[in-house]
Every structure is written in C-alpha cells, then in structure tokens.
Amino acid sequence: MDFLSPEEWTAVALSLRVSFWATLVALPLAIWVAYLLARRDFWGKQVLNGIVHLPLILPPVVTGYLLLLTFGRRAPVGEWLYETLGLIFAFRWTGAALAAGIMGFPLMVRAIRLALEAVDPKLEQAAGTLGASRPWVFVTITLPLILPGIIAGSILGFAKAMGEFGATITFVSNIPGQTQTLPSAIYAFLQVPGGEASALRLVAVSVTIAMTALILSEVLARRAAKRVAGA
C-alpha cells in the first residue's frame, strides 16, 4: 500500500466519504424532484427546472460563494442550523458533502427524470383503478421500473461529487485532513516544488475511480433493465 502517502490516502478517503454522503442524502430529493418534473404540471415548473440545473451552468465558484452566503456560520440559514441542530457546514467536511451533492444533483435528477418519462403512465393508472393508493403505486410499480435510472443517476452523481473542486474549495477551503478532497489535494500538490509526483498519483486514482463509476453505472443499469423487462 506504498503507492500513496498517508496524506494522499487521507484525501482519497475523505473524497469517498464526502461523495457517499452527498449521494445518499441527495438521492431521495432527486427522486422527488424528478417525479414532479416528469409527472406533474404546476405553476413555476420551468423555474424549478432552471434552479435544479443552475449548478451545471453557473461557474462552480459562484455556487460555492452562494453556499457560503447561505450556510456560513453568520449567514441566516447557517446560524439557525448551528443554534438549532448544531450543524456546521462552512469549512467542514459536511460542507464539502453539501457542495458536492448540489453539484451532482442535476445529473441525478436528469437521469431519473428520463427514466420516469419512459414509463408508460397507463401501467400506473391501471394499478390505481384497482384501488391502490398513489404512494403504493409509486413504490410497487414506478420505482422498480425506474431503477436503472436511479442507479445510473446515483453513480454519476457520486462520480461528479468525487471530482468537484470549485464550489468545494470556495465554501470549505482546502484544509488537509478536514476538507481537502482529491481535486483540492491535486491542486495543492501542484503549487509546491516537487509535488508533481503526488499530484500524478492522485490523478491516476481519480481517473480510475471515474472510469470504474461509469462502467459500473452502465453494467448495473443494464442488469436492472433486464430484470424489469423479465418481471
């Protein structure tokens, strides 16, 4: 295990931790928002769609700065969260997870929304005519059918979180062992003489994780699709 130094392993482990929690917390909200955009018509739908996809369009630094203005210790929301729940996001790994989750959220929503739009609404309507409630129809009919999209979206969101840099470094800085994720560590190593070797090793790790996530997403989505088709 000498391929990476302890400092490099810390950055890798922190990135995995941040990406895992970012994906886990964002997934239920992504499913709900995707369902609203795919199945419901309401006032402000296009506004919601625009807000969801803003992180893909805005410079990541802008997203990070907005997070700092909203969730900083002295910001309205951040101060309330600290005083009420004891939660601190700014300059903590939890803030890195928040930033990563927001940056990966549009990818998750889009993948799940496309899966929802591919489901024939008549299947859900048929279950409803048999007396099933709307939540029960979603859990027993819709959710299994969109499982490939959920898997694909989750893994793409995880991979995006692993590579997030701009919003993270703006919101939580680049503190070794606390908020220094893989991209931040690569950046830090490139700023010091002799750090190119460490940066190159972390680049290799990043490429490996990203490719593994993409391949795994494709494989799991195909398997889930086959199970749904055979059910």
Side-chain angles (χ1 to χ4, degrees), residues 59-72 166-172:
V61 173
V62 173
T63 302
Y65 183 59
L66 291 175
L67 287 173
L68 192 59
L69 291 177
T70 305
F71 294 97
T168 301
I169 200 171
T170 304
F171 184 37
V172 300

Side-chain angles (χ1 to χ4, degrees), residues 107-215:
L107 297 177
M108 299 172 69
V109 170
R110 183 162 181 78
I112 298 170
R113 180 181 179 180
L114 290 174
L116 278 164
E117 291 175 344
V119 175
D120 188 353
K122 293 180 180 179
L123 296 174
E124 300 166 318
Q125 295 169 4
T129 58
L130 296 176
S133 64
R134 184 172 295 173
W136 185 248
V137 170
F138 180 80
V139 171
T140 59
I141 303 296
T142 310
L143 201 59
L145 291 174
I146 66 171
L147 185 58
I150 293 175
I151 293 173
S154 299
I155 296 179
L156 289 176
F158 180 88
K160 175 64 176 177
M162 285 290 296
E164 166 50 32
F165 174 69
T168 301
I169 200 171
T170 304
F171 184 37
V172 300
S173 190
N174 187 9
I175 307 171
Q178 297 185 42
T179 64
Q180 189 177 79
T181 56
L182 261 174
S184 301
I186 292 171
Y187 174 79
F189 281 126
L190 289 175
Q191 305 308 304
V192 298
E196 290 83 359
S198 295
L200 187 59
R201 286 194 293 269
L202 290 181
V203 166
V205 172
S206 298
V207 172
T208 301
I209 292 175
M211 286 301 299
T212 301
L214 290 173
I215 294 172

Side-chain angles (χ1 to χ4, degrees), residues 28-38 42 48 52 105 109 113 116:
L29 182 60
I31 295 174
W32 180 62
V33 171
Y35 183 83
L36 287 179
L37 294 175
F42 53 90
L48 175 61
V52 167
F105 189 73
V109 170
R113 180 181 179 180
L116 278 164

Side-chain angles (χ1 to χ4, degrees), residues 62-100:
V62 173
T63 302
Y65 183 59
L66 291 175
L67 287 173
L68 192 59
L69 291 177
T70 305
F71 294 97
R73 279 287 300 273
R74 300 305 177 189
V77 177
E79 186 174 8
W80 181 84
L81 287 173
Y82 175 68
E83 293 179 352
T84 306
L85 304 175
L87 288 176
I88 302 176
F89 287 104
F91 308 108
R92 298 289 193 277
W93 77 267
T94 50
L98 176 62

